[in-house]
Amino acid sequence: MSASILSRLNPSFEASCPRCDGALVYDDIHFAGTPILVECHCSQCHVAYLLDWPAGHALLYPTIVEVETGVAHSDGREWYPRLLRRLIATREHPTAARTDVRGHSSGNSTAIVVNCIDFLYGHCVLKVLSGLRYARDPDVDVVMVVQKNVSWLVPSTVDIVIEVNVPLSGGDTWIAGLDSAVTSVVEGYEFVQIAPTPSQPYLTNDDLADIAPRLAPSAFWNSPNAGLHQIALLLREDRLWSGRRRAGALRLLPRDLTHQLMVRAQTRNCANVVRQVQRRCPNVQFVAIGLGRSHPLPTSIRDLRTTTITQDTERDWLTEYARSRVVVGVHGSHMLLPSAFAGAVIDLLPPHKLPNIAQDLIVISSTEPEPKLSLFRYRILPDNVGADVVSEVIVSLLEDADFHYVNMIRNRSATGVEWLRPIVWRRLDDPAA
Ligand SMILES: [Zn+2]
């Protein structure tokens, strides 16, 4: 039955045998989990392969694995082919997972399969978001394959959802039953397509509206200054903002003690940021969001952290992001949705994450097409900055936004014969003084 899917998929990519450059013959397809694997063989040397369909991270790192030897051939960074080889090695003992199918066909002849399975939360979120655009096309049915932990993001506009009850840690294994579930769902379609699910998709406000129809992203520019501004501190205990206290300096201590000291350093940094910012901007309130509550925060911070995340928690947090004028956090997948819904972002980047810069941010280019406005709103700082630097940046984001907008945007409309705003004269000083 899978072979018939392959013929309906009609792969238009050509790949040659990495051993002898002979043409590959495609035989079958397997929805294995994170990858979609094409079973194929070389027309010349007859070596059998599993070729990773060009979707998801296989777009970045094309990979083909020899079935008999497990030898991988790739074009890109090595982590992905190594992961794929380990995943294929689990084929004989795949991860058991309950698979639930909900929804139904809209009667279209084409199904587009959006495979969102992954082993990293951020990858899953971006794959889901990348597939929402197809659900707004009335001429195709969308079949979205998601793990249970991100299924809350999938809107009712998606025709058919295949929910796979496998944790993120199972996303790097072969998932039992998934192939037959997808095969069964697309059985009746004349045409089947695979969504490319690029790891950094182009996203629009329509995509955000799909996942949160009643939630408008925070409007950063030209927003009234009156009232309270909310700043969200996005905290996690597996990746800490220790500021100037570096883990390396504590390396002689036991690991647990080092972690405790780093958590305390993060808490101290947060307390200092609150104190420093509120001293200069009294109309600011802080909220803490994230997983882990091993260390109490000052009472001046509304603490919404939790030790377990439910779908209700996720939705409540989404509301808080949209209420926030600024969100602050260490680089990571937990920054994706906050950056999409909050007004401005301070992203604290560890040195080892430099190759991944901006991958954790969702910047909606249709609403922020001006690069200099984006540079103002999305601040990426080294993670070893202290509370004083973060506080200065928060204050600047709050106090300098209006001036920046006038300087960068509004004055471009000037005609040369007028000012574009009313003038209020202020006496500068007394020259005789
Ligand atoms: Zn060959």
Side-chain angles (χ1 to χ4, degrees), residues 42-43 55 78 99 107 130 134 144 148 206 249 258 304-305 352 358-359 371 377-378 386 393 418 424:
C42 174
S43 58
E78 291 191 2
T99 302
S130 78
Y134 306 111
M144 192 169 274
K148 196 170 182 179
D206 288 342
T258 300
L304 299 181
R305 295 175 303 163
H352 70 281
Q359 290 177 4
R377 284 179 62 190
Y378 303 94
V393 177
E418 61 181 348
V424 180

Side-chain angles (χ1 to χ4, degrees), residues 17 20 42 45:
C17 172
C20 74
C42 174
C45 71

Side-chain angles (χ1 to χ4, degrees), residues 318-334:
L318 214 54
T319 304
E320 296 297 335
Y321 305 149
R323 283 180 186 153
S324 298
R325 187 132 175 92
V326 183
V327 293
V328 184
V330 176
H331 172 102
S333 57
H334 69 305

